[in-house]
Amino acid sequence: MSETQKHTTRNGFIAIIGTYIIWGLLPLYFVLMAPAGPIEIVVARVVFSLIFCALLLPILRVTADFRRALRDRRIMLVLTAASFLICANWLIYVMATTSGHTIDVSLGYFINPLVSVVLGVIFLHERLRPAQWVSVAISCIAVLMMSLIYGQVPWTGLGVAFTFGIYGLLKARVAHDVSPIISLSLETFILAPFGVAALLMLNAQGQMTLFSEGPGHFWLLASTGVVTVVPLMLFAAATKALPLSVIGMVQYLGPTIQFVLALTVLHEQMSADKVLGLSLIWVALIIFTVDALRASRAYRASALSDPETGMIPLVQAEDVQSK
């Protein structure tokens, strides 16, 4: 490996670890925004993300690409659906983390990779390897057991997992047409009118805290724009420098940090159903990850033994990384 490749890989590791540390610490970040409610936090995230993106577009010299995408009906239809899904995801996330249910959120992000696999089977007609089927089956058993023991379906975890999974599926449809920063700019642009209307409604009801709790509170809410956009840019940079197998391994860092925060800082309690359910899901993830690593090694071996055919999976991996 050349010095340039080593430097690129090292920067990729820093970027991907930074991404998931930021995403993992978000529950604590949202708790600090009290007395702002979940709706105001989500609205602030939408509005200030749009403002931050509007500043970045000319700096990155992609304003023309943004306008081009804005005129593309197919892109706008897909991103409109995606924008409402990510808004729902953010709302579930913030409501849960600010009401003492961060463990449920971490559950959702732990099972998200498995949900994405299932969605790939349903909508993209992908075939699963036997180990992947075992992982999905164990996860389904875990959710069923939690539902029976607790007396209700773990809607928070499932809501987080499925909204984000379907969101990712939609974003994959336009991944080759728009960059991550343009995609997020368009999504927040679509949501902005609803966000402004929500702020006006909160203000009319006397529930808006943006301007009433001092400059520190205002800038904390305003910083949601930076905290939303920066990890996305770090993630995009990391996927260009690291193989999918590494990205797949590191993605569990985020929900792990959330889980540890919930127990040690937010002092949430682990009920019997959550202990059992999370244990089964961790077993499923271990099987899933080991299988993914073996598949990745098989692809690399194929590339080395037959360079012509071996290029195919490498190109496919790069395409997936861009999503």
Side-chain angles (χ1 to χ4, degrees), residues 65-256:
D65 294 333
F66 174 84
R67 292 172 180 167
R68 192 179 305 113
L70 192 61
R71 294 191 296 268
D72 190 306
R73 177 178 294 183
R74 184 184 70 85
I75 291 176
M76 291 304 295
L77 283 174
V78 172
L79 290 184
T80 296
S83 65
F84 286 108
L85 278 167
I86 198 60
C87 184
N89 180 269
W90 287 351
L91 189 57
I92 296 170
Y93 188 111
V94 176
M95 289 178 66
T97 56
T98 55
S99 61
H101 293 90
T102 302
I103 290 176
D104 295 332
V105 169
S106 70
L107 166 68
Y109 284 115
F110 273 126
I111 66 174
N112 177 249
L114 300 174
V115 168
S116 297
V117 166
V118 172
L119 292 174
V121 172
I122 296 173
F123 294 103
L124 303 178
H125 308 292
E126 296 177 350
R127 292 185 177 182
L128 299 188
R129 295 182 293 274
Q132 291 176 313
W133 278 117
V134 170
S135 298
V136 171
I138 293 175
S139 296
C140 291
I141 292 171
V143 171
L144 180 61
M145 293 185 70
M146 282 189 286
S147 302
L148 293 174
I149 296 173
Y150 187 60
Q152 67 180 50
V153 178
W155 292 116
T156 298
L158 292 177
V160 166
F162 275 94
T163 53
F164 196 73
I166 299 172
Y167 169 77
L169 189 67
L170 289 173
K171 291 290 287 286
R173 301 286 185 179
V174 295
H176 299 294
D177 304 311
V178 290
S179 65
I181 185 64
I182 292 176
S183 179
L184 182 63
S185 299
L186 289 169
E187 289 164 36
T188 52
F189 178 79
I190 292 165
L191 291 172
F194 301 96
V196 172
L199 280 179
L200 293 174
M201 180 188 70
L202 289 173
N203 186 55
Q205 296 174 348
Q207 298 177 6
M208 188 170 73
T209 67
L210 184 63
F211 302 110
S212 63
E213 299 295 321
H217 182 73
F218 171 85
W219 288 112
L220 188 62
L221 284 171
S223 68
T224 54
V226 177
V227 172
T228 298
V229 177
V230 168
L232 178 74
M233 297 179 67
L234 288 174
F235 184 82
T239 56
K240 293 179 181 178
L242 299 173
L244 273 178
S245 57
V246 174
I247 302 294
M249 289 288 289
V250 180
Q251 70 179 321
Y252 302 123
L253 178 61
T256 299

Side-chain angles (χ1 to χ4, degrees), residues 16-45:
I16 196 62
I17 291 174
T19 297
Y20 283 106
I21 287 176
I22 293 173
W23 284 342
L25 292 174
L26 281 181
L28 185 60
Y29 177 66
F30 292 141
V31 168
L32 293 174
M33 293 182 183
I39 293 177
E40 185 175 10
I41 293 173
V42 171
V43 169
R45 195 171 183 181

